[in-house]
Amino acid sequence: MILAEISDYIRERGRASVADIANRFDSDPEVARKMLSVLERKKRIHKVPSITACGSSCRQCDPSATELYAWGPGEGEPDEQAACWPL
């Protein structure tokens, strides 16, 4: 699993959970989280805030299944690459 592969996977899907990424790349969720944190620091992806774990109150969902990341910088964060494009 390399950063470019994870980046491509999220860009193609728009968003993905830690569990999706761990399953896709046959990896441990903690390893996937570390790779995702690198992409997040580089502003390639952002963590999608969640109101509740899965919409129910049972709280029995696997946290890696409900922890989502989406392509691009998060809200309120400037897209530094977009600033380079002429208007």
Side-chain angles (χ1 to χ4, degrees):
M1 167 171 60
I2 60 174
L3 290 174
E5 291 174 330
I6 296 172
S7 184
D8 289 344
Y9 183 73
I10 296 173
R11 186 177 63 239
E12 289 168 6
R13 295 176 56 108
R15 63 177 54 191
S17 71
V18 172
D20 288 339
I21 293 164
N23 288 335
R24 166 64 178 84
F25 296 102
D26 193 29
S27 174
D28 183 78
E30 282 306 310
V31 173
R33 277 188 187 93
K34 289 179 183 180
M35 302 291 273
L36 290 164
S37 71
V38 172
L39 291 171
E40 191 173 22
R41 279 194 312 269
K42 291 181 174 199
K43 306 275 191 233
R44 301 263 164 69
I45 63 170
H46 66 278
K47 190 172 183 177
V48 176
S50 61
I51 297 169
T52 60
C54 67
S56 71
S57 60
C58 72
R59 307 235 187 259
Q60 293 180 0
C61 296
D62 177 9
S64 67
T66 59
E67 187 177 342
L68 295 175
Y69 286 84
W71 182 251
E75 288 185 32
E77 297 177 6
D79 186 348
E80 294 168 7
Q81 291 179 343
C84 296
W85 293 98
L87 297 176

